[in-house]
Amino acid sequence: MTQEAGAIRAEEILAALDADQKAVALATRGPVCVIAGAGTGKTRAITHRIAYAASIGTMDPQKVLALTFTSRAAGEMRTRLRVLGVPTVAARTIHAAALKQLVYFWPSVFGGRVPELMTAKAGFIGEAINRAGLSGELRATSRELMRDIASEIEWAKVSQVAPEDFVNEIAKRSQKPRVSAEKLAQVYTAYESVKKQELAIDFEDVLLLTAAMLEEERTVRERVQDQYRYFTIDEYQDISPVQQRLINAWLGSRQDICVVGDPAQTIYSFAGATPVFLNSFTQRFPDAEVIRLSTGYRSTPEITFAANALLRHGAMGQELIALNDHGTKPSVDGYANEDAEIAGVLAQITDLLNNGTQAQEIAILARTNNQLKGVERAMNKASLPYQVRSTERFFDRQDVRDFLKEVRRASVLPTEGVSWIDELRTLAQPFLTGESIDGIAALLHLARELDGDNNFSPKTLRGYLREIEDRVQQNNPPTMPVITLATLHAAKGLEWERVFLIGASEGILPLESGVTGQSDAVIDEERRLFYVGMTRAKVDLHISHRQNPSRFLREAGLLA
């Protein structure tokens, strides 16, 4: 590319940005800290920054590592960078980047074969409960209990808390676990023992081992630091201590780092995430350039005004400026009980569908998974199409794992005279019940899409499994053109035309933690969670409560 052509390309990249986004793009060398509110175009800003820096020769795109928190976000970033002419940029989740390095250097650093990476903790935790002698007290068959225990172990590991320190560290937390700290410490100890015996590692081990490898092995550290010289880190408010440790090892003494975050969207403290690294960025890098994105492109002014009122009340962060056309004020509906609330919401959704609204433009958001179960039952009864989006990894779900196990068996000796997709439908029938409906239906929908794709070959169960295995590696679950049901945590980073936020009642949102006198920190995080839910809506926001409305409705100016 000639210098003149490069200059033209650079101007084209900048022309697509507003003034604040352009300031991000022009800050081509770090350290840079971008405070980006909900729906302000942060992905556009940081991808254009990389492309602009590459076009003027400030940054070698092959030495850039762009880090995100979800595979979906990483995929979106890769797509945008490819369109902008920089397809060689490595855009990955932090876990994926760490795993790639760990696997590559394992033979020379650790020796032997790489341990098996666990895709689900449930089996290991079940065995740990038995070894700890707690099977009589902790039911390993309870999906919710297993999820809670897994979350506590993950919190401890990303916070770099060893089993012997677990009880003391739990005592410092404002939000306590449902299971006693002493029992969790016993399970945690046994869990680590089971993994060691089975030569397995979990996703948290990937971060811990990679960080330790880089810190202790100078040759490895120098090779990695030579490969990646420029860093962009999205969702920086949700970084955990072990992730920051790994970032420090990657960066070394250099300062070419750009972080992007929003303190108002810190909602993963329970998982070890902390905004302290975002908030203290300028202390660690006194020469950092701080740029704020405050123009909201997602929601109507009416939704934005309510979200801003909540921000002001909680002193959570910068307010947004809405540029979109005006719409209707967010509605608030009160109901006598949960059944009445669900019936009222589904009646509104049915009217929307009958009047031409596409199902995929509608979402029902709730504070907990248990709330969504009641909605699922009602939607099944009403024959309304839906899919549950959860923070639980789709391919870790037991129903999905069991179904794919049957598909693998069938792929070895496919039924003669029957098409692969008909055979898949037959295999799916026993699984299309209860809570399994949405997950298995999504896998069948993906199969139908692949069957109609001329680029998909061979059109066999084995070909389908190869596609699934690729998606497992990328944590890229299939989706359907249906209504989305999601917890507020799972909804982060997503958007819909019309959002129904249910259960905005005291004791639900904010969630009653079960401890006496909730701390300000707990309430603050619940408020941020409510803010995240509000800012998922582009055009219509419908909020409902049962009896005692949430304090957050008044704080947002939606109730007198």
Side-chain angles (χ1 to χ4, degrees), residues 219-252:
T219 303
V220 173
R221 181 171 64 252
E222 288 177 348
R223 287 183 63 182
V224 171
Q225 288 181 351
D226 180 63
Q227 173 62 50
Y228 297 115
R229 305 191 65 82
Y230 312 96
F231 295 85
T232 298
I233 305 166
D234 196 8
E235 303 289 1
Y236 196 61
Q237 79 279 350
D238 286 328
I239 285 286
S240 68
V242 72
Q243 289 169 335
Q244 184 60 51
R245 177 184 167 191
L246 181 56
I247 290 165
N248 291 343
W250 279 330
L251 186 64

PDB file of all heavy atoms in Angstrom, residues 219-252:
ATOM      1  N   THR A 219      12.407 -17.484  29.088  1.00  0.00           N
ATOM      2  CA  THR A 219      12.396 -17.718  27.634  1.00  0.00           C
ATOM      3  C   THR A 219      10.981 -17.651  27.079  1.00  0.00           C
ATOM      4  O   THR A 219      10.727 -17.024  26.041  1.00  0.00           O
ATOM      5  CB  THR A 219      13.029 -19.079  27.298  1.00  0.00           C
ATOM      6  OG1 THR A 219      14.359 -19.117  27.825  1.00  0.00           O
ATOM      7  CG2 THR A 219      13.063 -19.300  25.797  1.00  0.00           C
ATOM      8  N   VAL A 220      10.058 -18.299  27.765  1.00  0.00           N
ATOM      9  CA  VAL A 220       8.656 -18.291  27.343  1.00  0.00           C
ATOM     10  C   VAL A 220       8.112 -16.865  27.398  1.00  0.00           C
ATOM     11  O   VAL A 220       7.447 -16.403  26.462  1.00  0.00           O
ATOM     12  CB  VAL A 220       7.812 -19.221  28.235  1.00  0.00           C
ATOM     13  CG1 VAL A 220       6.319 -19.077  27.906  1.00  0.00           C
ATOM     14  CG2 VAL A 220       8.249 -20.668  28.065  1.00  0.00           C
ATOM     15  N   ARG A 221       8.395 -16.171  28.482  1.00  0.00           N
ATOM     16  CA  ARG A 221       7.885 -14.804  28.652  1.00  0.00           C
ATOM     17  C   ARG A 221       8.372 -13.889  27.527  1.00  0.00           C
ATOM     18  O   ARG A 221       7.600 -13.121  26.951  1.00  0.00           O
ATOM     19  CB  ARG A 221       8.334 -14.261  30.008  1.00  0.00           C
ATOM     20  CG  ARG A 221       7.833 -12.849  30.297  1.00  0.00           C
ATOM     21  CD  ARG A 221       8.116 -12.448  31.725  1.00  0.00           C
ATOM     22  NE  ARG A 221       9.532 -12.362  32.033  1.00  0.00           N
ATOM     23  CZ  ARG A 221      10.196 -13.222  32.798  1.00  0.00           C
ATOM     24  NH1 ARG A 221       9.555 -14.264  33.337  1.00  0.00           N
ATOM     25  NH2 ARG A 221      11.476 -13.071  33.042  1.00  0.00           N
ATOM     26  N   GLU A 222       9.656 -14.008  27.199  1.00  0.00           N
ATOM     27  CA  GLU A 222      10.208 -13.149  26.149  1.00  0.00           C
ATOM     28  C   GLU A 222       9.606 -13.462  24.788  1.00  0.00           C
ATOM     29  O   GLU A 222       9.341 -12.555  23.987  1.00  0.00           O
ATOM     30  CB  GLU A 222      11.732 -13.300  26.119  1.00  0.00           C
ATOM     31  CG  GLU A 222      12.414 -12.650  27.320  1.00  0.00           C
ATOM     32  CD  GLU A 222      13.928 -12.853  27.326  1.00  0.00           C
ATOM     33  OE1 GLU A 222      14.411 -13.695  26.518  1.00  0.00           O
ATOM     34  OE2 GLU A 222      14.614 -12.189  28.121  1.00  0.00           O
ATOM     35  N   ARG A 223       9.350 -14.722  24.517  1.00  0.00           N
ATOM     36  CA  ARG A 223       8.745 -15.098  23.230  1.00  0.00           C
ATOM     37  C   ARG A 223       7.324 -14.564  23.124  1.00  0.00           C
ATOM     38  O   ARG A 223       6.923 -14.040  22.082  1.00  0.00           O
ATOM     39  CB  ARG A 223       8.765 -16.622  23.057  1.00  0.00           C
ATOM     40  CG  ARG A 223      10.140 -17.187  22.765  1.00  0.00           C
ATOM     41  CD  ARG A 223      10.082 -18.675  22.544  1.00  0.00           C
ATOM     42  NE  ARG A 223       9.280 -19.030  21.375  1.00  0.00           N
ATOM     43  CZ  ARG A 223       9.051 -20.298  21.003  1.00  0.00           C
ATOM     44  NH1 ARG A 223       9.544 -21.302  21.717  1.00  0.00           N
ATOM     45  NH2 ARG A 223       8.329 -20.547  19.942  1.00  0.00           N
ATOM     46  N   VAL A 224       6.562 -14.702  24.202  1.00  0.00           N
ATOM     47  CA  VAL A 224       5.170 -14.231  24.187  1.00  0.00           C
ATOM     48  C   VAL A 224       5.132 -12.706  24.111  1.00  0.00           C
ATOM     49  O   VAL A 224       4.341 -12.124  23.353  1.00  0.00           O
ATOM     50  CB  VAL A 224       4.405 -14.742  25.428  1.00  0.00           C
ATOM     51  CG1 VAL A 224       3.028 -14.076  25.519  1.00  0.00           C
ATOM     52  CG2 VAL A 224       4.250 -16.259  25.367  1.00  0.00           C
ATOM     53  N   GLN A 225       6.000 -12.031  24.862  1.00  0.00           N
ATOM     54  CA  GLN A 225       6.003 -10.571  24.847  1.00  0.00           C
ATOM     55  C   GLN A 225       6.485 -10.015  23.508  1.00  0.00           C
ATOM     56  O   GLN A 225       6.103  -8.913  23.123  1.00  0.00           O
ATOM     57  CB  GLN A 225       6.872 -10.039  25.989  1.00  0.00           C
ATOM     58  CG  GLN A 225       6.228 -10.237  27.356  1.00  0.00           C
ATOM     59  CD  GLN A 225       7.075  -9.691  28.495  1.00  0.00           C
ATOM     60  OE1 GLN A 225       8.231  -9.307  28.305  1.00  0.00           O
ATOM     61  NE2 GLN A 225       6.510  -9.660  29.691  1.00  0.00           N
ATOM     62  N   ASP A 226       7.301 -10.797  22.793  1.00  0.00           N
ATOM     63  CA  ASP A 226       7.704 -10.375  21.456  1.00  0.00           C
ATOM     64  C   ASP A 226       6.559 -10.569  20.458  1.00  0.00           C
ATOM     65  O   ASP A 226       6.392  -9.783  19.527  1.00  0.00           O
ATOM     66  CB  ASP A 226       8.931 -11.166  20.997  1.00  0.00           C
ATOM     67  CG  ASP A 226       9.379 -10.733  19.602  1.00  0.00           C
ATOM     68  OD1 ASP A 226       9.769  -9.569  19.446  1.00  0.00           O
ATOM     69  OD2 ASP A 226       9.319 -11.572  18.674  1.00  0.00           O
ATOM     70  N   GLN A 227       5.762 -11.643  20.672  1.00  0.00           N
ATOM     71  CA  GLN A 227       4.641 -11.911  19.770  1.00  0.00           C
ATOM     72  C   GLN A 227       3.543 -10.868  19.923  1.00  0.00           C
ATOM     73  O   GLN A 227       2.964 -10.403  18.941  1.00  0.00           O
ATOM     74  CB  GLN A 227       4.061 -13.301  20.055  1.00  0.00           C
ATOM     75  CG  GLN A 227       2.786 -13.627  19.296  1.00  0.00           C
ATOM     76  CD  GLN A 227       2.980 -13.635  17.798  1.00  0.00           C
ATOM     77  OE1 GLN A 227       3.891 -14.270  17.297  1.00  0.00           O
ATOM     78  NE2 GLN A 227       2.130 -12.918  17.071  1.00  0.00           N
ATOM     79  N   TYR A 228       3.223 -10.494  21.164  1.00  0.00           N
ATOM     80  CA  TYR A 228       2.138  -9.541  21.414  1.00  0.00           C
ATOM     81  C   TYR A 228       2.702  -8.295  22.107  1.00  0.00           C
ATOM     82  O   TYR A 228       3.155  -8.354  23.248  1.00  0.00           O
ATOM     83  CB  TYR A 228       1.052 -10.186  22.267  1.00  0.00           C
ATOM     84  CG  TYR A 228       0.401 -11.364  21.581  1.00  0.00           C
ATOM     85  CD1 TYR A 228       0.525 -12.651  22.102  1.00  0.00           C
ATOM     86  CD2 TYR A 228      -0.306 -11.196  20.396  1.00  0.00           C
ATOM     87  CE1 TYR A 228      -0.060 -13.737  21.460  1.00  0.00           C
ATOM     88  CE2 TYR A 228      -0.883 -12.278  19.741  1.00  0.00           C
ATOM     89  CZ  TYR A 228      -0.753 -13.534  20.280  1.00  0.00           C
ATOM     90  OH  TYR A 228      -1.314 -14.605  19.639  1.00  0.00           O
ATOM     91  N   ARG A 229       2.610  -7.177  21.407  1.00  0.00           N
ATOM     92  CA  ARG A 229       3.192  -5.929  21.910  1.00  0.00           C
ATOM     93  C   ARG A 229       2.129  -4.855  22.181  1.00  0.00           C
ATOM     94  O   ARG A 229       2.403  -3.853  22.829  1.00  0.00           O
ATOM     95  CB  ARG A 229       4.228  -5.397  20.918  1.00  0.00           C
ATOM     96  CG  ARG A 229       5.319  -6.404  20.577  1.00  0.00           C
ATOM     97  CD  ARG A 229       6.464  -5.760  19.819  1.00  0.00           C
ATOM     98  NE  ARG A 229       7.169  -4.776  20.639  1.00  0.00           N
ATOM     99  CZ  ARG A 229       8.116  -5.083  21.526  1.00  0.00           C
ATOM    100  NH1 ARG A 229       8.455  -6.357  21.712  1.00  0.00           N
ATOM    101  NH2 ARG A 229       8.720  -4.130  22.212  1.00  0.00           N
ATOM    102  N   TYR A 230       0.920  -5.057  21.644  1.00  0.00           N
ATOM    103  CA  TYR A 230      -0.140  -4.050  21.787  1.00  0.00           C
ATOM    104  C   TYR A 230      -1.400  -4.745  22.297  1.00  0.00           C
ATOM    105  O   TYR A 230      -1.860  -5.732  21.706  1.00  0.00           O
ATOM    106  CB  TYR A 230      -0.432  -3.369  20.446  1.00  0.00           C
ATOM    107  CG  TYR A 230       0.819  -2.904  19.722  1.00  0.00           C
ATOM    108  CD1 TYR A 230       1.398  -3.716  18.741  1.00  0.00           C
ATOM    109  CD2 TYR A 230       1.416  -1.685  20.019  1.00  0.00           C
ATOM    110  CE1 TYR A 230       2.548  -3.304  18.076  1.00  0.00           C
ATOM    111  CE2 TYR A 230       2.558  -1.276  19.351  1.00  0.00           C
ATOM    112  CZ  TYR A 230       3.121  -2.086  18.382  1.00  0.00           C
ATOM    113  OH  TYR A 230       4.259  -1.691  17.729  1.00  0.00           O
ATOM    114  N   PHE A 231      -1.980  -4.218  23.370  1.00  0.00           N
ATOM    115  CA  PHE A 231      -3.110  -4.895  24.010  1.00  0.00           C
ATOM    116  C   PHE A 231      -4.338  -3.991  24.071  1.00  0.00           C
ATOM    117  O   PHE A 231      -4.243  -2.802  24.392  1.00  0.00           O
ATOM    118  CB  PHE A 231      -2.722  -5.320  25.436  1.00  0.00           C
ATOM    119  CG  PHE A 231      -1.634  -6.347  25.471  1.00  0.00           C
ATOM    120  CD1 PHE A 231      -0.309  -5.962  25.430  1.00  0.00           C
ATOM    121  CD2 PHE A 231      -1.936  -7.696  25.510  1.00  0.00           C
ATOM    122  CE1 PHE A 231       0.716  -6.900  25.441  1.00  0.00           C
ATOM    123  CE2 PHE A 231      -0.924  -8.638  25.514  1.00  0.00           C
ATOM    124  CZ  PHE A 231       0.405  -8.240  25.476  1.00  0.00           C
ATOM    125  N   THR A 232      -5.482  -4.599  23.751  1.00  0.00           N
ATOM    126  CA  THR A 232      -6.775  -3.936  23.925  1.00  0.00           C
ATOM    127  C   THR A 232      -7.631  -4.873  24.770  1.00  0.00           C
ATOM    128  O   THR A 232      -7.779  -6.053  24.430  1.00  0.00           O
ATOM    129  CB  THR A 232      -7.468  -3.690  22.576  1.00  0.00           C
ATOM    130  OG1 THR A 232      -6.648  -2.829  21.785  1.00  0.00           O
ATOM    131  CG2 THR A 232      -8.827  -3.041  22.780  1.00  0.00           C
ATOM    132  N   ILE A 233      -8.179  -4.369  25.862  1.00  0.00           N
ATOM    133  CA  ILE A 233      -8.944  -5.221  26.782  1.00  0.00           C
ATOM    134  C   ILE A 233     -10.320  -4.620  27.006  1.00  0.00           C
ATOM    135  O   ILE A 233     -10.460  -3.518  27.547  1.00  0.00           O
ATOM    136  CB  ILE A 233      -8.209  -5.379  28.126  1.00  0.00           C
ATOM    137  CG1 ILE A 233      -6.786  -5.893  27.874  1.00  0.00           C
ATOM    138  CG2 ILE A 233      -8.975  -6.340  29.039  1.00  0.00           C
ATOM    139  CD1 ILE A 233      -5.880  -5.777  29.064  1.00  0.00           C
ATOM    140  N   ASP A 234     -11.337  -5.335  26.575  1.00  0.00           N
ATOM    141  CA  ASP A 234     -12.726  -4.897  26.708  1.00  0.00           C
ATOM    142  C   ASP A 234     -13.290  -5.353  28.049  1.00  0.00           C
ATOM    143  O   ASP A 234     -12.771  -6.281  28.677  1.00  0.00           O
ATOM    144  CB  ASP A 234     -13.540  -5.485  25.552  1.00  0.00           C
ATOM    145  CG  ASP A 234     -14.873  -4.785  25.378  1.00  0.00           C
ATOM    146  OD1 ASP A 234     -15.107  -3.759  26.050  1.00  0.00           O
ATOM    147  OD2 ASP A 234     -15.680  -5.261  24.560  1.00  0.00           O
ATOM    148  N   GLU A 235     -14.385  -4.721  28.488  1.00  0.00           N
ATOM    149  CA  GLU A 235     -15.079  -5.062  29.731  1.00  0.00           C
ATOM    150  C   GLU A 235     -14.096  -5.093  30.910  1.00  0.00           C
ATOM    151  O   GLU A 235     -14.130  -5.988  31.761  1.00  0.00           O
ATOM    152  CB  GLU A 235     -15.799  -6.426  29.605  1.00  0.00           C
ATOM    153  CG  GLU A 235     -16.793  -6.515  28.471  1.00  0.00           C
ATOM    154  CD  GLU A 235     -18.061  -5.697  28.702  1.00  0.00           C
ATOM    155  OE1 GLU A 235     -18.150  -5.040  29.758  1.00  0.00           O
ATOM    156  OE2 GLU A 235     -18.943  -5.706  27.846  1.00  0.00           O
ATOM    157  N   TYR A 236     -13.252  -4.094  30.980  1.00  0.00           N
ATOM    158  CA  TYR A 236     -12.167  -4.101  31.962  1.00  0.00           C
ATOM    159  C   TYR A 236     -12.680  -3.966  33.392  1.00  0.00           C
ATOM    160  O   TYR A 236     -11.965  -4.273  34.344  1.00  0.00           O
ATOM    161  CB  TYR A 236     -11.181  -2.969  31.631  1.00  0.00           C
ATOM    162  CG  TYR A 236      -9.837  -3.093  32.308  1.00  0.00           C
ATOM    163  CD1 TYR A 236      -9.005  -4.178  32.073  1.00  0.00           C
ATOM    164  CD2 TYR A 236      -9.383  -2.099  33.180  1.00  0.00           C
ATOM    165  CE1 TYR A 236      -7.765  -4.276  32.685  1.00  0.00           C
ATOM    166  CE2 TYR A 236      -8.148  -2.186  33.793  1.00  0.00           C
ATOM    167  CZ  TYR A 236      -7.345  -3.286  33.536  1.00  0.00           C
ATOM    168  OH  TYR A 236      -6.110  -3.383  34.148  1.00  0.00           O
ATOM    169  N   GLN A 237     -13.928  -3.515  33.554  1.00  0.00           N
ATOM    170  CA  GLN A 237     -14.475  -3.419  34.900  1.00  0.00           C
ATOM    171  C   GLN A 237     -14.728  -4.799  35.508  1.00  0.00           C
ATOM    172  O   GLN A 237     -14.929  -4.918  36.715  1.00  0.00           O
ATOM    173  CB  GLN A 237     -15.790  -2.614  34.893  1.00  0.00           C
ATOM    174  CG  GLN A 237     -17.027  -3.360  34.424  1.00  0.00           C
ATOM    175  CD  GLN A 237     -17.132  -3.426  32.903  1.00  0.00           C
ATOM    176  OE1 GLN A 237     -16.380  -2.752  32.205  1.00  0.00           O
ATOM    177  NE2 GLN A 237     -18.058  -4.191  32.385  1.00  0.00           N
ATOM    178  N   ASP A 238     -14.712  -5.836  34.695  1.00  0.00           N
ATOM    179  CA  ASP A 238     -14.994  -7.190  35.179  1.00  0.00           C
ATOM    180  C   ASP A 238     -13.755  -8.071  35.257  1.00  0.00           C
ATOM    181  O   ASP A 238     -13.849  -9.293  35.293  1.00  0.00           O
ATOM    182  CB  ASP A 238     -16.050  -7.856  34.287  1.00  0.00           C
ATOM    183  CG  ASP A 238     -17.452  -7.297  34.536  1.00  0.00           C
ATOM    184  OD1 ASP A 238     -17.728  -6.914  35.689  1.00  0.00           O
ATOM    185  OD2 ASP A 238     -18.251  -7.230  33.596  1.00  0.00           O
ATOM    186  N   ILE A 239     -12.588  -7.459  35.284  1.00  0.00           N
ATOM    187  CA  ILE A 239     -11.339  -8.214  35.410  1.00  0.00           C
ATOM    188  C   ILE A 239     -11.223  -8.773  36.829  1.00  0.00           C
ATOM    189  O   ILE A 239     -11.538  -8.101  37.815  1.00  0.00           O
ATOM    190  CB  ILE A 239     -10.136  -7.284  35.099  1.00  0.00           C
ATOM    191  CG1 ILE A 239     -10.038  -7.031  33.602  1.00  0.00           C
ATOM    192  CG2 ILE A 239      -8.837  -7.861  35.617  1.00  0.00           C
ATOM    193  CD1 ILE A 239      -9.532  -8.203  32.814  1.00  0.00           C
ATOM    194  N   SER A 240     -10.735 -10.001  36.933  1.00  0.00           N
ATOM    195  CA  SER A 240     -10.491 -10.614  38.232  1.00  0.00           C
ATOM    196  C   SER A 240      -9.008 -10.495  38.575  1.00  0.00           C
ATOM    197  O   SER A 240      -8.179 -10.218  37.696  1.00  0.00           O
ATOM    198  CB  SER A 240     -10.894 -12.094  38.207  1.00  0.00           C
ATOM    199  OG  SER A 240     -10.006 -12.826  37.362  1.00  0.00           O
ATOM    200  N   PRO A 241      -8.642 -10.701  39.827  1.00  0.00           N
ATOM    201  CA  PRO A 241      -7.219 -10.609  40.200  1.00  0.00           C
ATOM    202  C   PRO A 241      -6.307 -11.518  39.390  1.00  0.00           C
ATOM    203  O   PRO A 241      -5.211 -11.109  38.995  1.00  0.00           O
ATOM    204  CB  PRO A 241      -7.230 -10.999  41.681  1.00  0.00           C
ATOM    205  CG  PRO A 241      -8.569 -10.528  42.171  1.00  0.00           C
ATOM    206  CD  PRO A 241      -9.502 -10.817  41.021  1.00  0.00           C
ATOM    207  N   VAL A 242      -6.730 -12.757  39.115  1.00  0.00           N
ATOM    208  CA  VAL A 242      -5.844 -13.649  38.355  1.00  0.00           C
ATOM    209  C   VAL A 242      -5.739 -13.202  36.898  1.00  0.00           C
ATOM    210  O   VAL A 242      -4.683 -13.342  36.264  1.00  0.00           O
ATOM    211  CB  VAL A 242      -6.306 -15.123  38.467  1.00  0.00           C
ATOM    212  CG1 VAL A 242      -7.590 -15.382  37.670  1.00  0.00           C
ATOM    213  CG2 VAL A 242      -5.207 -16.062  37.975  1.00  0.00           C
ATOM    214  N   GLN A 243      -6.804 -12.647  36.356  1.00  0.00           N
ATOM    215  CA  GLN A 243      -6.736 -12.127  34.987  1.00  0.00           C
ATOM    216  C   GLN A 243      -5.798 -10.921  34.912  1.00  0.00           C
ATOM    217  O   GLN A 243      -5.021 -10.794  33.956  1.00  0.00           O
ATOM    218  CB  GLN A 243      -8.145 -11.755  34.494  1.00  0.00           C
ATOM    219  CG  GLN A 243      -9.010 -12.972  34.224  1.00  0.00           C
ATOM    220  CD  GLN A 243     -10.466 -12.613  34.007  1.00  0.00           C
ATOM    221  OE1 GLN A 243     -10.942 -11.583  34.474  1.00  0.00           O
ATOM    222  NE2 GLN A 243     -11.188 -13.465  33.294  1.00  0.00           N
ATOM    223  N   GLN A 244      -5.846 -10.057  35.919  1.00  0.00           N
ATOM    224  CA  GLN A 244      -4.931  -8.917  35.940  1.00  0.00           C
ATOM    225  C   GLN A 244      -3.488  -9.390  36.076  1.00  0.00           C
ATOM    226  O   GLN A 244      -2.576  -8.826  35.459  1.00  0.00           O
ATOM    227  CB  GLN A 244      -5.282  -7.970  37.083  1.00  0.00           C
ATOM    228  CG  GLN A 244      -4.435  -6.708  37.126  1.00  0.00           C
ATOM    229  CD  GLN A 244      -4.564  -5.860  35.866  1.00  0.00           C
ATOM    230  OE1 GLN A 244      -5.667  -5.538  35.436  1.00  0.00           O
ATOM    231  NE2 GLN A 244      -3.429  -5.502  35.254  1.00  0.00           N
ATOM    232  N   ARG A 245      -3.293 -10.421  36.849  1.00  0.00           N
ATOM    233  CA  ARG A 245      -1.947 -11.001  36.989  1.00  0.00           C
ATOM    234  C   ARG A 245      -1.424 -11.482  35.643  1.00  0.00           C
ATOM    235  O   ARG A 245      -0.260 -11.263  35.293  1.00  0.00           O
ATOM    236  CB  ARG A 245      -1.994 -12.148  37.997  1.00  0.00           C
ATOM    237  CG  ARG A 245      -0.690 -12.886  38.193  1.00  0.00           C
ATOM    238  CD  ARG A 245      -0.902 -14.056  39.142  1.00  0.00           C
ATOM    239  NE  ARG A 245       0.231 -14.977  39.125  1.00  0.00           N
ATOM    240  CZ  ARG A 245       0.209 -16.184  39.689  1.00  0.00           C
ATOM    241  NH1 ARG A 245      -0.882 -16.599  40.331  1.00  0.00           N
ATOM    242  NH2 ARG A 245       1.266 -16.962  39.614  1.00  0.00           N
ATOM    243  N   LEU A 246      -2.291 -12.123  34.878  1.00  0.00           N
ATOM    244  CA  LEU A 246      -1.902 -12.611  33.554  1.00  0.00           C
ATOM    245  C   LEU A 246      -1.637 -11.448  32.598  1.00  0.00           C
ATOM    246  O   LEU A 246      -0.663 -11.474  31.828  1.00  0.00           O
ATOM    247  CB  LEU A 246      -3.001 -13.527  33.007  1.00  0.00           C
ATOM    248  CG  LEU A 246      -2.764 -14.161  31.639  1.00  0.00           C
ATOM    249  CD1 LEU A 246      -1.463 -14.963  31.613  1.00  0.00           C
ATOM    250  CD2 LEU A 246      -3.942 -15.069  31.268  1.00  0.00           C
ATOM    251  N   ILE A 247      -2.482 -10.431  32.641  1.00  0.00           N
ATOM    252  CA  ILE A 247      -2.288  -9.244  31.790  1.00  0.00           C
ATOM    253  C   ILE A 247      -0.943  -8.587  32.113  1.00  0.00           C
ATOM    254  O   ILE A 247      -0.206  -8.165  31.214  1.00  0.00           O
ATOM    255  CB  ILE A 247      -3.457  -8.256  31.976  1.00  0.00           C
ATOM    256  CG1 ILE A 247      -4.734  -8.839  31.371  1.00  0.00           C
ATOM    257  CG2 ILE A 247      -3.139  -6.900  31.337  1.00  0.00           C
ATOM    258  CD1 ILE A 247      -6.001  -8.128  31.795  1.00  0.00           C
ATOM    259  N   ASN A 248      -0.624  -8.500  33.398  1.00  0.00           N
ATOM    260  CA  ASN A 248       0.668  -7.931  33.793  1.00  0.00           C
ATOM    261  C   ASN A 248       1.829  -8.720  33.198  1.00  0.00           C
ATOM    262  O   ASN A 248       2.828  -8.139  32.751  1.00  0.00           O
ATOM    263  CB  ASN A 248       0.792  -7.915  35.321  1.00  0.00           C
ATOM    264  CG  ASN A 248      -0.153  -6.923  35.980  1.00  0.00           C
ATOM    265  OD1 ASN A 248      -0.673  -6.028  35.321  1.00  0.00           O
ATOM    266  ND2 ASN A 248      -0.385  -7.096  37.265  1.00  0.00           N
ATOM    267  N   ALA A 249       1.694 -10.043  33.187  1.00  0.00           N
ATOM    268  CA  ALA A 249       2.762 -10.891  32.635  1.00  0.00           C
ATOM    269  C   ALA A 249       2.889 -10.696  31.129  1.00  0.00           C
ATOM    270  O   ALA A 249       3.996 -10.685  30.587  1.00  0.00           O
ATOM    271  CB  ALA A 249       2.479 -12.361  32.969  1.00  0.00           C
ATOM    272  N   TRP A 250       1.754 -10.533  30.449  1.00  0.00           N
ATOM    273  CA  TRP A 250       1.786 -10.300  29.005  1.00  0.00           C
ATOM    274  C   TRP A 250       2.403  -8.934  28.686  1.00  0.00           C
ATOM    275  O   TRP A 250       3.191  -8.797  27.770  1.00  0.00           O
ATOM    276  CB  TRP A 250       0.375 -10.348  28.436  1.00  0.00           C
ATOM    277  CG  TRP A 250      -0.159 -11.719  28.189  1.00  0.00           C
ATOM    278  CD1 TRP A 250       0.543 -12.837  27.870  1.00  0.00           C
ATOM    279  CD2 TRP A 250      -1.542 -12.118  28.226  1.00  0.00           C
ATOM    280  NE1 TRP A 250      -0.297 -13.911  27.703  1.00  0.00           N
ATOM    281  CE2 TRP A 250      -1.582 -13.494  27.915  1.00  0.00           C
ATOM    282  CE3 TRP A 250      -2.734 -11.449  28.486  1.00  0.00           C
ATOM    283  CZ2 TRP A 250      -2.777 -14.211  27.851  1.00  0.00           C
ATOM    284  CZ3 TRP A 250      -3.921 -12.158  28.430  1.00  0.00           C
ATOM    285  CH2 TRP A 250      -3.936 -13.531  28.114  1.00  0.00           C
ATOM    286  N   LEU A 251       2.033  -7.933  29.451  1.00  0.00           N
ATOM    287  CA  LEU A 251       2.447  -6.568  29.156  1.00  0.00           C
ATOM    288  C   LEU A 251       3.898  -6.292  29.543  1.00  0.00           C
ATOM    289  O   LEU A 251       4.620  -5.593  28.829  1.00  0.00           O
ATOM    290  CB  LEU A 251       1.518  -5.588  29.879  1.00  0.00           C
ATOM    291  CG  LEU A 251       1.697  -4.101  29.574  1.00  0.00           C
ATOM    292  CD1 LEU A 251       1.373  -3.818  28.105  1.00  0.00           C
ATOM    293  CD2 LEU A 251       0.795  -3.268  30.490  1.00  0.00           C
ATOM    294  N   GLY A 252       4.323  -6.853  30.670  1.00  0.00           N
ATOM    295  CA  GLY A 252       5.669  -6.574  31.143  1.00  0.00           C
ATOM    296  C   GLY A 252       5.807  -5.111  31.536  1.00  0.00           C
ATOM    297  O   GLY A 252       4.902  -4.520  32.133  1.00  0.00           O
TER     298      GLY A 252
END
